[in-house]
Amino acid sequence: MKSMLIAALLLLAPAAPAVRAAYLITADSLRAHEMVLAHDSLEGRRVGEEGEMKAARYIESAFAAAGLQPRGTDGSWLQPFEFVRAIELGPGNRLVLNGAPLALHGEFEPMKQSASLAFDFDTIVDVGYGITVEEADGNYDDYAGKDVAGKAVLIKRYAPSADENPHVDFEPYSSLTSKINTALEHDAAGIFFITPEDQDDTLQPIGPVRITPKDIPIIFLRRAGFEHLGLSLSDPAVLSAEGAVELVKVHDTGYNVLGYLPGETDTTVIIGAHYDHLGSGGPGSGSRYLGNDPQVHNGADDNGSGTSVLLEIARHYAAQAEKPHYSLLFAAFSGEEFGILGSSHFARDMTVDSAKVRMMVNMDMDGRLAEQDNGLAVMGTGTTEAFTVYFDSLRREDVKITQKKSGQGPSDHTAFYNRGIPVLMFFTGAHNDYHKPEDDWDRIDYAGLVTVADVVTDLVSYFDRYPGPLTFQKTKDPDEGKRASTFSVTLGIMPDYVAEVKGLRVDNVQPDRPGERAGLLAGDIITRMGEIEIGDIYDYMNALGRFRKGDTTVVRVNRNAETVDLTVVFE
């Protein structure tokens, strides 16, 4: 059945033109791609699942029909990459509390930050909310007078009442990550979380990609477990705990699809779009669907639209009578929805000469042009002066173009910006169907999609003839202001969200920010900020919340297997 379905999808791929003639991109040709990519049979094209491979085979067939050359691994169209799909419970999880066994899932749940090990605690110290607030934020300490070194601690989720503590700012200290780190700073040997009586007992899932486990067991005790043991949440008498945690990282494989059109030179322009989506949604997927029953998320706009434009632009250039001056690499990336996994892998392991990549063009969510008052957003226009000049002088009556200078954003072009490559991204804007099952092929503005394809081909053709170099320029991070509303300070870095390291790997350093002034470099792995150990992105965000403007701290990094201490002054 599977082979029959894939064969059917291949038959829908466009046939190769008999002669090289001008190829016209139409609403019908784009719709034909969308009706395949956003079909229920592709099951939402989630990375690592069968639907992703069905989509990859369709894209591969379209590239082949256009006359491109395969540019994946070992002469194939595909470039595989590994990623952490999930952190699952192994068979060895068990817990005996106060001498009574508790049921996994219903009464207790090992947390993904936990170490995998056996434990036996005869002392468990109740530390209330497990918060230690620095003097600048109100001087509150749940650990005062309590010796927890080498012992397990019992910690309530959330924070104490603001009415009873009006002069204490609990916000930077109340997250689970902050409480875990505070317990580790007090040398606790294990952590058990409980939920206060007046709060929701649901534990929100977190994605597996960015988690580094700690060295101690960390377990969530559900309310049902306390009821089973007859314990009070207001005065919990947890005396002993024995058991084991076994967590297993499940790795999987995703696939980029790469097609190559040789030009007069081997300097390459990369034209890309991600083809993956959210599958059937569910916890940790990023879905905004609130229903209880799983539903296929077809992702017609996100990003069947960009992928359809990619396939048609490939056919457009392959049909030209003359070769382009620069070679063109058409890249359909996967894993974007879970942290630009595929493009990050490609940017680190290119199948073309990475020193000869001239520019990268990304298309993501291009199917709702008619709905947008601001027209077509073009991001990255500040990443080389030539882009700014081009778009400043561009006059089109068919579409309004809004420039965004930054080369960073939540899509695949960021992976190339972080490698010092000029980038552009084309985007028609967010909408109410974003990351919902309603984002389907019948809601796409196909006439607008033709316009996007026309704008992109005009740009690529212009810079194919452009004689000058494209000198890369760093741009300001557009999200820095948003982060400033959450944190008082910032280092000014772009984290590497996919590197499996203990610490936080720096993918890019923003110009004229505290990190750059302190000497922080791309590739550094941050392992400590002040007194806070950094194991992953959550530790890093927790640490940022502890600092204020004007503070000075030492940031420790691992640089080329050497430990380097940098003095950072936050502004």
Side-chain angles (χ1 to χ4, degrees):
M1 180 68 182
K2 175 181 175 182
S3 61
M4 291 175 61
L5 179 56
I6 291 175
L9 291 175
L10 298 185
L11 289 174
L12 290 171
V19 295
R20 286 188 178 274
Y23 177 74
L24 183 64
I25 299 174
T26 68
D28 286 342
S29 64
L30 290 161
R31 185 183 291 106
H33 293 305
E34 276 278 22
M35 290 180 71
V36 175
L37 294 169
H39 195 274
D40 285 354
S41 62
L42 269 64
E43 304 169 298
R45 310 187 305 276
R46 184 165 177 156
V47 61
E49 295 187 352
E50 184 179 3
E52 178 211 26
M53 181 53 68
K54 293 175 186 176
R57 292 303 185 195
Y58 176 75
I59 294 166
E60 173 185 311
S61 68
F63 281 167
L68 303 186
Q69 298 176 4
R71 202 66 175 207
T73 302
D74 297 329
S76 74
W77 296 97
L78 304 180
Q79 182 193 43
F81 58 90
E82 281 199 359
F83 66 99
V84 179
R85 179 180 183 80
I87 298 176
E88 295 183 350
L89 298 178
N93 291 284
R94 59 185 184 82
L95 176 62
V96 178
L97 203 67
N98 289 359
L102 296 185
L104 182 62
H105 300 305
E107 296 179 335
F108 81 97
E109 189 88 21
M111 296 177 64
K112 291 179 179 178
Q113 300 93 328
S114 177
S116 292
L117 75 178
F119 56 86
D120 190 352
F121 298 113
D122 58 11
T123 302
I124 300 175
V125 181
D126 183 354
V127 293
Y129 287 92
I131 291 175
T132 298
V133 176
E134 296 175 6
E135 187 172 353
D137 292 324
N139 200 20
Y140 173 100
D141 189 3
D142 278 321
Y143 286 86
K146 298 175 181 177
D147 177 17
V148 303
K151 304 169 186 175
V153 292
L154 185 69
I155 300 176
K156 294 179 183 178
R157 297 166 62 202
Y158 303 101
S161 167
D163 293 337
E164 296 176 7
N165 302 273
H167 303 298
V168 181
D169 180 11
F170 289 114
E171 186 174 356
Y173 307 91
S174 59
S175 70
L176 294 178
T177 299
S178 179
K179 294 181 180 188
I180 290 169
N181 286 330
T182 299
L184 290 170
E185 289 167 11
H186 287 84
D187 297 321
I191 300 173
F192 295 90
F193 281 106
I194 61 173
T195 305
E197 291 175 296
D198 59 345
Q199 298 285 356
D200 183 2
D201 198 39
T202 304
L203 187 65
Q204 294 299 322
I206 56 176
V209 174
R210 305 170 178 89
I211 297 174
T212 298
K214 306 305 179 185
D215 296 325
I216 64 173
I218 305 174
I219 294 174
F220 175 47
L221 301 177
R222 296 192 182 278
R223 193 166 289 163
F226 266 55
E227 293 172 354
H228 172 199
L229 299 178
L231 296 177
S232 166
L233 286 169
S234 60
D235 186 21
V238 180
L239 306 177
S240 65
E242 184 271 329
V245 173
E246 183 182 1
L247 298 175
V248 180
K249 275 191 176 182
V250 179
H251 288 79
D252 209 334
T253 304
Y255 295 91
N256 298 324
V257 190
L258 306 171
Y260 186 70
L261 183 65
E264 295 173 351
T265 77
D266 61 352
T267 297
T268 303
V269 172
I270 298 172
I271 304 173
H274 78 87
Y275 71 93
D276 67 301
H277 197 53
L278 309 182
S280 294
S285 69
S287 171
R288 297 170 60 235
Y289 167 62
L290 300 179
N292 295 321
D293 298 327
Q295 287 197 21
V296 172
H297 291 52
N298 283 323
D301 188 33
D302 187 15
N303 185 34
S305 62
T307 305
S308 298
V309 172
L310 176 73
L311 298 180
E312 287 296 279
I313 289 177
R315 193 171 184 187
H316 166 83
Y317 281 106
Q320 300 298 310
E322 297 182 1
K323 285 184 176 181
H325 179 66
Y326 298 108
S327 297
L328 301 177
L329 181 76
F330 296 93
F333 298 116
S334 189
E336 188 272 353
E337 298 288 5
F338 295 90
I340 61 172
L341 303 178
S343 56
S344 294
H345 175 82
F346 178 84
R348 287 192 293 267
D349 187 17
M350 294 194 191
T351 61
V352 296
D353 187 342
S354 60
K356 294 183 178 180
V357 174
R358 181 167 168 82
M359 57 188 275
M360 190 272 173
V361 178
N362 181 34
M363 295 163 292
D364 195 352
M365 293 181 63
D366 295 309
R368 300 293 186 97
L369 184 61
E371 302 175 16
Q372 305 302 324
D373 293 336
N374 292 324
L376 176 62
V378 183
M379 305 173 186
T381 60
T383 58
T384 185
E385 181 64 26
F387 288 167
T388 303
V389 172
Y390 176 84
F391 283 101
D392 282 348
S393 61
L394 184 63
R395 299 291 182 270
R396 296 186 66 110
E397 295 184 359
D398 57 341
V399 62
K400 177 182 178 181
I401 291 178
T402 301
Q403 291 189 57
K404 305 288 185 181
K405 291 189 177 297
S406 176
Q408 295 185 72
S411 191
D412 294 305
H413 60 290
T414 298
F416 297 89
Y417 172 86
N418 289 341
R419 298 299 180 276
I421 296 170
V423 299
L424 292 169
M425 177 182 134
F426 293 83
F427 172 62
T428 58
H431 46 79
N432 288 334
D433 297 335
Y434 173 70
H435 281 196
K436 292 180 180 179
E438 289 79 8
D439 180 13
D440 221 331
W441 68 270
D442 57 347
R443 300 195 178 188
I444 296 298
D445 170 19
Y446 291 101
L449 207 53
V450 172
T451 300
V452 173
D454 189 44
V455 172
V456 175
T457 52
D458 282 355
L459 169 99
V460 172
S461 296
Y462 175 86
F463 281 102
D464 189 59
R465 301 185 300 269
Y466 183 79
L470 300 181
T471 304
F472 175 74
Q473 297 178 157
K474 286 189 174 184
T475 59
K476 290 185 178 181
D477 181 357
D479 292 328
E480 193 166 77
K482 296 178 184 177
R483 284 194 291 272
S485 65
T486 304
F487 304 111
S488 299
V489 298
T490 177
L491 272 181
I493 66 168
M494 173 63 70
D496 183 338
Y497 291 108
V498 298
E500 289 193 59
V501 297
K502 189 168 185 177
L504 181 78
R505 186 181 182 277
V506 177
D507 217 13
N508 186 263
V509 182
Q510 292 293 310
D512 199 32
R513 305 300 298 138
E516 184 189 58
R517 293 191 185 116
L520 202 60
L521 302 177
D524 285 349
I525 299 172
I526 300 173
T527 59
R528 177 183 283 269
M529 293 178 66
E531 297 302 314
I532 301 174
E533 296 283 347
I534 307 298
D536 52 30
I537 183 67
Y538 299 103
D539 293 337
Y540 171 70
M541 292 189 294
N542 168 56
L544 279 183
R546 302 288 186 92
F547 296 106
R548 301 292 181 267
K549 290 183 178 181
D551 287 352
T552 298
T553 194
V554 174
V555 173
R556 177 164 293 175
V557 303
N558 184 321
R559 178 180 295 168
N560 298 324
E562 294 184 359
T563 298
V564 179
D565 288 340
L566 305 171
T567 301
V568 172
V569 179
F570 290 109
E571 303 169 345

